Every structure is written in structure tokens, then in C-alpha cells.
Amino acid sequence: MTSAGPDERIWHYDGQDATRHHPRIDWHAEGFSLVWPGGTSGPHRWSDLVPQGNAGGRSVYGLRGQGGWRLVFAGLPPHDFAVHLPLPARYGRWIDRIGLWPAIGLFALIAAILLFVVLRAPAWVAPLIPRSWEDRLGDTMIGDFGGRLCETPESRAALEKLRRELGDAVPIRRIAIANIKMVNAVALPGGHIIIFRDLIEEAKSPDELAGVLAHEIGHVRNRDTMTALVRQLGLSVLLGGFNGQVGGTINGLLALSYGRDAEREADRYSIEALRAADISPLPTAAFFERMEKRSGGESIERAMSWMASHPVSAERKAAFEDSAVKGGHYKPALSAAEWKALVDACAHDKDVAPPPFDF
Amino acid sequence: MEEPDAGAFAFTGDWRDYAPIAFTNLLLTIVTLGVYRFWATTRTRRYLWSRTRFIDEPLEWTGTGMELFIGFLLVLALFGIPLLFLQFGMQTLIFNGQARLAFSLAFLAFAMIFYLSGVARFRMLRYRLSRTWWHGIRGGSDEKGWAYGWSYVWRYVVAAFSLYLLIPWAMMSLWNDRWSAMSFGPFPFRAKAGPGAVFKRFLLFYLLPLALFVLLTIAGIGMREGETALDPAAAAMMGFLFLFIYAGLGVIALVFYAKFFRVAVGGMSLSGLHFHFRARSRDWLMLILGDIALVVLTLGIGAIFLSYRHWKFFITHLDATGEISLSELTQSTTAAPRQGEGLADAFDIGAI
């Protein structure tokens, strides 16, 4: 049995009221107890002592299961007493166990693996998602596009012809023109391809439209939209630990639309489809060229336009140009009448909703 | 017990002591993709509280990173998923031409978030008091904050309908409501400050932009009539003016808030203790300018010291007079919340 105190350098609060006691501490191998005029505490087991840290050169201990119980030493506790004490937590229990730098290394490794998986995995997770799910999701997302889809019997026939020519083997469920004033086309989940009205007005010929449409069909075939969705979901979960702003920023940077590989694949499909359908790829290349030149204008329009979601690189243009066969026997993608049906679809469709906002 | 010429509160920390905590927090938060944030907050508070002396004994923080983390996960489960659905659902609904339904849902969501951010403020304070110990005694509240959330909503709605003129009243009465529901040991906090004292400064904040706007409009009309296009010099002038207004508004807001804080804290007492807050507008301005300089000059890294600076500022200017009987200061009987301030965290409220 060893003792220390009572003195000014050891004090105790019993958690019942705020009075400060200066106890004598008696201890042996099994445990310890406190005695002061008018009260005692203990005997307690060593293992019940909880280090509360060392603030300003004092050592503070609590007792497991007793909220306000405190034993405080000015400076360090007596040596024979201290040998029985657990160390205070510093970074957190797990990190203290393996050390700060090993922990940082380990966490960094895990974070890198997780990020890699979340960025890469969607490409092989997406194909595993049943088509029926994707279709249901796509239909819920799009519905009837708020009644903004332009359709006449003639335009439907023309689009159907393009679908047959360019993507007969791809599970496309709908190609439609939307009465929205943007130069763009998007592939949405569930095999929907939406062509925005101004793209048709911007295109000089059906061949240009065919190239762009084949590119979107390529996205549908490769299930890129699903991949992008899964990736975005994974990132939001992974970065949920950061507070809102940081996570959102990183997420936005990493989830940029489809990624360049997907774009290149879609281009490759487009080139192949055009070749198989005997449609010249040169107009599509010319369309890219014009889009690139046009990339001025209002910033909102720019953000919603073709350029924002399909940045045109010289390399992409060249790929289309190089695939042209000199003296090849190309035929127009659509007849003049069919093309006119597409151009006029929104004007001739009587019950289409007006464009939501004019840029 | 009182040492001569020392205030009741003193901050004894040193930023050089705190730096290792701040830097390891930053490092661990990055490599854990943000998850360590909660343990980082806990370590920071543990340090700050332990370096905050009240009369003869430092405060003690007993919150844990795990309970903050659990609070965060709970809020995520309760609100994150519905909110996420609402975000994507909104798009879908608008796509489908269901704009009216979409906007009524959005309004509902907004109202819910507004209510919950009120609740969050209350619960944050309750949690912090329940984890703050002094002389082996802690604080807390018997209320859970659900009622406070409603008074938060209706007071701000009334303030909005009064063209925002009643904002000082809303702020002050909410502060008083919140603190009056809190206690330390057996003693309830009392908060009785009236909004009248801060109203003049609020009017300054309220009327100045209006006056400037009127002036600018007159100037603009004058220019229109002169049929002169804006020359570069005038444009630069305008830009400078806007910057001035922007910074000026910030300063006036600060001037108002400095007064608000002095009055609000000055109206508070606990048993025989009366609280005072001594920071003037100039002190607040120096704090904010110091913050900006610190963050800009260190390319953002200095942000890890902001919570330290703010706490130090708060404690340095806080004082208490009067007496508190240690033998009557018995243990709090309030139920301690089981998890941390997840709600406040979700709405980005108050960061110490």
C-alpha cells in the first residue's frame, strides 16, 4: 500500500457538486482509493481510470461510468502511481495503436484504392445492371419530356430510317426531337436519344445529323450513361465525408460527363456506322469544325451547348476526316423530303409544348 | 478564489502548441477523404477548452469524434436520401411538365430545411453544453429543440413580412429563447437582452444600401439623359464603387453584429454570475481582416487556424462578474444527448 497527498497539488471532484477536495490517494497493485475530510471514493480498479489529457501541465483522469468524477495532478502523477495508468488518447484509438505516419500512409492507400475503384468500377458495374432497371429509370427521368417532343408521321419515319441504318443492333427505344432551343443531342438511360431542335437547324445536311446521332447511339451501345450515373453516385457517397462545398467541387471535377475514353469509343462507333451505311463522314467533321468556331456567344448558351458536353479536339475531327474513302460511293443519309420532315417537325407538330426558355 | 486584475475567463493557449494538432488534423482529414473531420473537431475543441480558464479551473471537453460521426450518419440517413431524391426528382418532374408539383415539393423541402436549421442551432448548443465540464459539473438542456424550431420559423417569417425591419427582434428573442432553455449544473441560464439597443445600428445597415441605390439610380438617369456611353474611367469608377459598397456593407453588418453580440451576452446570467462581452466593432474588424490575411497569405492553409482564432477572440473578450457557490453547483440532471451535432453539421452552422 502506497500513499500520496493530501496536498495542494492533487485535487478531486466527485461529480456530485463543484466543491474541490484535496484527497489522500492510497494504492496497491489491484487499485486505489481516495480519502478526504467528509468523504471517500473507491476502491477503484486501475482499468477504470480514463485519461482525460494533459492540459497546461496538469494530468487529468476520469472514472469510467462516473461522469463528473475527476482526479487532477498539477504536473505528472507520482511515478509509482503513474506506472499503473493507461496513456491518454491522442489522434483517436486506432491511429494511436499503429502510429501517426503509418496510419496516414494506410489511409492514403485506402483512399487511393477507393477513388480508383469508384472511378473505374462503373465501367464494369454498369453492364451488370439489368436493362429493365435502366429502362424504368430512363422512362421515369424522361417521361414525355413535358410534351416537348416534336413528331409528325414523316419525321418519325425519317428517324426510324436513320436508326435502321446506323444502329439496328443497338437496343434503342426512342429517338426523338425535343422542342428545346439548344444545339445538342443526348443519350439518356433506357436507350433514349434526344435531339434538340437547334441541332437540326444548325446541321447543313442529314449526313451531319447522322454522324452526331451515330455518336449518341455509340453511347447507348456502350451503356455510357449508366456508367456516368453510377460513377456520380459512387463519388457522392465516397466524398460525403467532406463538408458540402469541398465534396461537390471534387465530385464535379471527377465526374465530367462521360470521360474521354467513352467519347473516343462513341466516335469510333459513329465512324464505323457511317461507313457501314455508306454515309460520308466529312460533313460530320465539318460540323465539328463549325461548332468549334461558334464557341463564343452567351456563357449560358455555351454551357448548355454541344461544346460543353462534347469538347471537339483536332484529333476527333481528324479521325472522321481520315475515315473518308477517296472516291467512295457515298449516298446521302436521307432524301431531301425526309430531311425536310425533320427540319419541319417542330413547326408542323400541332400539340407540342413551346420551348421552356429562349436563350 | 478570484485572482486580482484577472478576468473570470482567460485563454492560455498558444498557436505554436496548437499547430501540431491543426496540421495533423488537416493531413488525416485529407487522407481519410474527410471522414477524420469529426475526430479533428474533437481534438481541436479538447485543446481549446482545456486552455480556457474560468476562475480557477479550465473547462473540459468530453465529446468524442465517434458521436459526431454517428450524428452525421444519422442526419445523412434521415435527410440526405430524401433531399437527394428531391434533387433528381425535381428534374424529372420538370422534364415531365409537372412544374407546379415540383415547385410545391421544393417549397416543402425548403420549409423543412428552414425548420430543421432552427432545431439544429438549438441542438448544437445543447450538445456543446452537455459535453462541457467545469469542476466535474456539466451543462445541458431539458428541451430537445423541436419547439424552438417552430419559433425560429415564425419569428423569421414575421420579420420578413415587416420588410426585415424586425430582424433584430427575431435574432435577439431567439438568442434569449435558446439560452434560457439551457442550464449548467442545477442553474438555468437567463437571457434577457432587449432588441431596442441594437435597433439603431440595424437601421444603419438597413438604410444605407437603400440610400446608395437611390443615389446610383439618380446618377444613372443623369447619364442616360446625357446620352453618353460609359467611358472606361466611369466604368472603373462604377466597379470601384460596387467594391466599396460590398466591403462597406460587410463592415456595417459587422458593426451591427458587434453590438448585437455585446448586448445579447450582456443580458445573460447564471445563478449569481453576470456575463459581459467586451469586443467593439474595431476588434471584430481586426479579427475578420486578420482571418482574410491569414488565409490569403498562406494560400488557404491558414484556414486550419480559424477556429483557434475565433475561440480565442470569443474567450478573450468574454467576462463574468458576481459569484457562484461551488457547493450549490451540483451535477446537471439533464439528459445528455447521445450523438453529436449532425444537424448543424449538415446545414453548415457554426464551426468551432
Side-chain angles (χ1 to χ4, degrees), chain A:
Chain A
M1 175 74 82
T2 326
S3 290
D7 65 36
E8 286 291 306
R9 303 172 48 73
I10 302 172
W11 63 97
H12 163 66
Y13 299 110
D14 60 7
Q16 307 301 313
D17 65 36
T19 312
R20 183 188 278 203
H21 307 290
H22 291 286
R24 187 184 82 234
I25 313 177
D26 301 321
W27 73 89
H28 49 77
E30 301 305 310
F32 66 96
S33 48
L34 312 179
V35 186
W36 65 91
T40 59
S41 177
H44 300 295
R45 288 200 306 272
W46 291 112
S47 56
D48 285 340
L49 268 187
V50 186
Q52 300 283 357
N54 312 338
R58 301 137 23 104
S59 314
V60 185
Y61 297 91
L63 194 67
R64 203 179 304 281
Q66 295 214 26
W69 192 98
R70 290 287 178 277
L71 179 59
V72 187
F73 299 91
L76 293 171
H79 180 72
D80 336 356
F81 185 85
V83 292
H84 297 288
L85 297 177
L87 286 172
R90 188 157 176 209
Y91 299 106
R93 212 171 325 151
W94 299 339
I95 301 176
D96 291 343
R97 205 167 296 163
I98 57 176
L100 173 66
W101 289 104
I104 286 178
L106 185 68
F107 285 137
L109 186 69
I110 293 172
I113 292 171
L114 279 175
L115 269 174
F116 182 80
V117 167
V118 164
L119 288 174
R120 287 282 156 202
W124 50 261
V125 167
L128 303 179
I129 295 171
R131 284 270 180 202
S132 58
W133 288 16
E134 184 183 335
D135 292 351
R136 207 170 314 150
L137 179 72
D139 296 356
T140 323
M141 267 175 72
I142 299 146
D144 66 346
F145 232 69
R148 286 200 187 82
L149 298 181
C150 316
E151 199 173 49
T152 58
E154 297 81 17
S155 77
R156 190 190 324 192
L159 287 174
E160 176 55 25
K161 178 179 170 184
L162 282 176
R163 192 196 63 76
R164 266 201 322 273
E165 295 261 321
L166 300 168
D168 209 20
V170 181
I172 301 166
R173 291 172 59 235
R174 171 164 64 181
I175 301 178
I177 301 168
N179 193 16
I180 293 175
K181 291 180 143 329
M182 277 187 232
V183 183
N184 209 343
V186 289
L188 296 170
H192 299 271
I193 295 175
I194 306 287
I195 303 165
F196 294 124
R197 173 182 181 167
D198 281 5
L199 177 71
I200 296 179
E201 303 194 351
E202 189 65 37
K204 292 243 191 306
S205 71
D207 297 9
E208 294 186 9
L209 177 68
V212 173
L213 186 62
H215 173 95
E216 299 303 333
I217 293 175
H219 279 314
V220 172
R221 196 196 61 165
N222 302 333
R223 302 193 74 182
D224 288 335
T225 49
M226 224 41 216
T227 309
L229 273 178
V230 172
R231 181 176 298 142
Q232 208 136 26
L233 195 69
L235 280 173
S236 0
V237 170
L238 189 60
L239 301 172
F242 283 112
N243 53 21
Q245 282 181 335
V246 183
T249 312
I250 300 177
N251 193 339
L253 287 175
L254 290 174
L256 275 175
S257 55
Y258 294 138
R260 291 168 55 173
D261 290 354
E263 289 295 341
R264 205 167 297 130
E265 279 302 313
D267 276 352
R268 196 168 302 152
Y269 177 90
S270 177
I271 289 170
E272 276 309 306
L274 292 176
R275 178 179 305 158
D278 285 334
I279 297 169
S280 170
L282 290 173
T284 307
F287 173 79
F288 284 163
E289 178 98 44
R290 286 207 314 280
M291 284 297 108
E292 208 172 1
K293 288 218 176 75
R294 258 189 47 140
S295 62
E298 294 288 322
S299 57
I300 281 201
E301 189 183 354
R302 255 217 313 275
M304 309 289 281
S305 76
W306 173 271
M307 285 300 295
S309 43
H310 307 77
V312 178
S313 63
E315 180 194 355
R316 286 183 64 188
K317 239 177 14 220
F320 276 85
E321 279 166 359
D322 294 349
S323 71
V325 182
K326 275 224 166 55
H329 288 288
Y330 290 122
K331 59 178 205 283
L334 293 173
S335 72
E338 285 165 333
W339 177 236
K340 193 168 169 1
L342 288 188
V343 172
D344 294 341
C346 286
H348 289 185
D349 185 346
K350 288 287 169 278
D351 53 5
V352 70
F357 21 63
D358 254 330
F359 289 126

Side-chain angles (χ1 to χ4, degrees), chain B residues 21-195:
Chain B
I21 296 179
F23 280 107
T24 47
N25 274 348
L26 176 68
L27 207 55
L28 283 163
T29 303
I30 291 171
V31 297
T32 54
L33 297 174
V35 174
Y36 190 75
R37 192 152 64 89
F38 309 100
W39 284 266
T41 303
T42 298
R43 286 177 67 212
T44 293
R45 286 187 195 161
R46 197 176 268 269
Y47 176 84
L48 296 177
W49 263 239
S50 73
R51 298 300 189 279
T52 302
R53 182 186 56 72
F54 179 60
I55 305 178
D56 62 334
E57 186 82 71
L59 301 178
E60 194 186 338
W61 177 262
T62 61
T64 65
M66 187 51 93
E67 69 198 6
L68 284 179
F69 184 53
I70 290 171
F72 165 78
L73 291 180
L74 272 178
V75 167
L76 205 66
L78 282 174
F79 306 105
I81 293 161
L83 281 177
L84 211 70
F85 173 78
L86 205 66
Q87 252 182 352
F88 290 107
M90 283 280 295
Q91 276 182 351
T92 305
L93 285 172
I94 292 176
F95 263 165
N96 282 305
Q98 298 274 8
R100 192 166 303 173
L101 181 63
F103 286 115
S104 30
L105 273 177
F107 176 76
L108 210 68
F110 171 76
M112 188 176 89
I113 288 173
F114 195 53
Y115 168 73
L116 285 172
S117 62
V119 176
R121 271 163 217 273
F122 185 97
R123 293 178 76 94
M124 180 174 78
L125 191 57
R126 170 174 174 247
Y127 168 73
R128 289 183 186 180
L129 275 168
S130 74
R131 299 297 189 271
T132 298
W133 297 75
W134 183 76
H135 275 245
I137 304 296
R138 66 171 173 85
S141 173
D142 280 322
E143 288 177 38
K144 298 246 192 308
W146 306 117
Y148 175 86
W150 287 118
S151 59
Y152 181 85
V153 170
W154 77 256
R155 287 206 165 113
Y156 272 117
V157 166
V158 167
F161 273 112
S162 70
L163 297 176
Y164 299 105
L165 274 170
L166 287 176
I167 287 278
W169 160 80
M171 283 172 73
M172 196 60 86
S173 55
L174 284 168
W175 172 287
N176 291 344
D177 277 6
R178 201 163 61 227
W179 275 101
S180 300
M182 302 290 156
S183 58
F184 199 86
F187 303 125
F189 279 96
R190 290 192 195 85
K192 298 199 176 313

Side-chain angles (χ1 to χ4, degrees), chain B residues 281-326:
Chain B
S281 301
R282 228 181 55 131
D283 303 319
W284 283 91
L285 191 63
M286 293 317 281
L287 173 76
I288 300 293
L289 290 177
D291 281 356
I292 293 170
L294 174 69
V295 172
V296 171
L297 294 178
T298 57
L299 302 179
I301 304 244
I304 57 178
F305 284 100
L306 289 184
S307 51
Y308 174 94
R309 278 174 55 83
H310 296 172
W311 180 258
K312 182 180 174 181
F313 176 83
F314 174 66
I315 294 300
T316 313
H317 294 96
L318 184 66
D319 201 0
T321 49
E323 292 190 341
I324 190 156
S325 152
L326 291 180

